[in-house]
């Protein structure tokens, strides 16, 4: 069957590749990038990273935020300084992450992540609140322009100080509409469409509706997790499957089951 994934994350951010996982279950997948990213405020981020004594810890809720940190360390002198003592000073504090993909990138920086099994910002905020209180220094939270308010709100309500810094901006991928149109023209209406983020839903849906017409109801819509599923339902889509965990394997299993 003709299987389409719409993805904002590169497949690698899901650990294994959705295309491979679906192929092993007898389905053909096409990955269409939904988002493009621009990094911003890296000088400010760099200043904050090299003054760990001013913060109580770090929070990463996306692979892109870790990528921004990596970009701050590209200069040899900074890398040396980071490896010599800065990363150890951060490791003496808590480094909170959502999900395995983000955790793996954090480990590549020489940092020790906490919370890789949380899976959502909601669950991570509960872990932070169990471990921290209002007396700590602010937690540094590099994030994107489209971030959910769940975590900042939960910490604010409980008096845990947070230093939020937007380090990347998210926009619609410039070729999204063209790529979708080409796919529908060449392959026809897909059996299934998987979304990997609420912004993916927002940017794709109008085009998908237009291209599939009356066949929209025949498409099995899949979500990478509960937040994306909520965004889909809010748009009136019927969600055929939501992955039990945000991995390519769990998503492929759910899609294969929905298509039986």
């Amino acid at each position: 069957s003709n299987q389409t994934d719409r993805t904002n994350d590169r497949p690698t951010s899901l650990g294994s590749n959705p295309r491979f996982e679906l192929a092993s279950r007898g389905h053909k997948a096409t990955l269409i990038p939904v988002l493009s990213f621009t990094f911003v405020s890296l000088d400010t981020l760099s200043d904050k990273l090299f003054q760990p004594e001013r913060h109580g810890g770090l929070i990463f809720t996306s692979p892109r935020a870790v990528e921004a940190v990596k970009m701050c360390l590209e200069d040899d002198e900074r890398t040396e300084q980071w490896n010599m003592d800065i990363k150890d000073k951060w490791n003496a504090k808590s480094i909170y992450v959502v999900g395995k993909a983000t955790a793996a990138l954090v480990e590549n920086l020489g940092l020790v992540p906490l919370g890789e099994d949380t899976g959502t910002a909601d669950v991570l905020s509960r872990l932070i609140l169990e471990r921290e209180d209002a007396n700590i220094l602010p937690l540094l939270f590099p994030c994107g322009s489209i971030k959910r308010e769940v975590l900042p709100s939960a910490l604010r309500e409980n008096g845990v100080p947070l230093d939020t810094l937007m380090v990347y901006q998210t926009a619609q991928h410039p070729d999204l509409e063209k790529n979708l149109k080409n796919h529908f023209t060449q392959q026809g209406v897909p059996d299934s469409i998987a979304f990997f983020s609420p912004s993916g839903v927002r940017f794709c849906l109008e085009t998908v509706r237009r291209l599939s017409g009356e066949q929209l109801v025949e498409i099995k819509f899949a979500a990478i997790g509960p937040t994306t599923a909520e965004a889909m339902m809010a748009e009136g889509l019927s969600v055929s499957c939501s992955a039990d965990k945000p991995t390519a394997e769990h998503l492929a299993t759910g899609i294969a089951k929905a298509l039986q």
Side-chain angles (χ1 to χ4, degrees):
S1 71
N2 159 22
Q3 192 75 30
T4 305
D5 280 305
R6 305 268 172 272
T7 171
N8 65 304
D9 292 323
R10 294 150 313 185
T12 48
S13 70
L14 289 168
S16 178
N17 185 324
R19 206 177 311 183
F20 168 78
E21 292 292 347
L22 283 159
S24 72
R25 291 161 176 78
H27 299 291
K28 177 174 173 276
T30 305
L31 291 165
I32 295 177
V34 171
L35 306 178
S36 63
F37 301 91
T38 315
F39 289 97
V40 294
S41 309
L42 294 184
D43 288 347
T44 310
L45 176 61
S46 193
D47 290 346
K48 290 175 186 284
L49 283 173
F50 281 84
Q51 298 180 65
E53 62 283 355
R54 295 189 163 194
H55 289 92
L58 275 162
I59 302 175
F60 294 108
T61 57
S62 73
R64 300 278 168 190
V66 190
E67 222 169 286
V69 170
K70 199 176 161 196
M71 289 170 83
C72 294
L73 306 176
E74 277 176 354
D75 140 343
D76 289 348
E77 200 180 314
R78 290 247 129 162
T79 305
E80 198 180 330
Q81 205 185 339
W82 176 262
N83 288 330
M84 204 165 65
D85 67 341
I86 299 292
K87 73 173 183 195
D88 295 337
K89 287 179 179 172
W90 280 114
N91 278 331
K93 306 167 191 283
S94 298
I95 317 289
Y96 295 105
V97 301
V98 168
K100 288 191 171 17
T102 305
L105 292 172
V106 164
E107 283 171 353
N108 289 345
L109 293 174
L111 298 173
V112 182
L114 275 169
E116 64 179 85
D117 294 324
T118 53
T120 67
D122 190 16
V123 182
L124 181 66
S125 61
R126 292 204 286 274
L127 173 72
I128 295 171
L129 292 171
E130 278 168 22
R131 296 174 49 95
E132 311 290 354
D133 59 36
N135 301 322
I136 62 158
L137 287 165
L139 296 167
L140 178 57
F141 179 32
C143 59
S145 54
I146 303 178
K147 71 165 190 334
R148 292 172 68 226
E149 287 304 316
V150 173
L151 188 138
S153 298
L155 299 191
R156 195 167 48 240
E157 281 162 21
N158 289 277
V160 174
L162 191 65
D163 179 6
T164 305
L165 178 66
M166 186 177 76
V167 294
Y168 65 94
Q169 287 172 325
T170 307
Q172 181 172 320
H173 193 282
D175 298 329
L176 174 62
E177 199 157 340
K178 185 183 79 182
N179 290 341
L180 282 170
K181 207 170 172 181
N182 289 347
H183 184 82
F184 273 74
T185 307
Q186 290 157 17
Q187 312 266 351
V189 175
D191 295 334
S192 170
I193 294 178
F195 287 112
F196 290 76
S197 70
S199 42
V201 178
R202 193 166 69 242
F203 292 147
C204 285
L205 202 52
E206 194 190 331
T207 308
V208 167
R209 279 202 165 109
R210 192 174 69 246
L211 293 168
S212 48
E214 288 177 0
Q215 286 173 272
L216 185 78
V217 291
E218 293 164 28
I219 300 171
K220 303 281 187 199
F221 284 97
I224 190 64
T227 312
T228 303
E230 276 169 32
M232 290 158 73
M233 289 187 286
E235 292 289 352
L237 286 181
S238 140
V239 180
S240 299
C241 82
S242 181
D244 292 336
K245 285 184 178 174
T247 69
E249 198 182 344
H250 286 91
L251 181 67
T253 302
I255 292 173
K257 204 170 166 186
L259 287 169
Q260 275 171 4

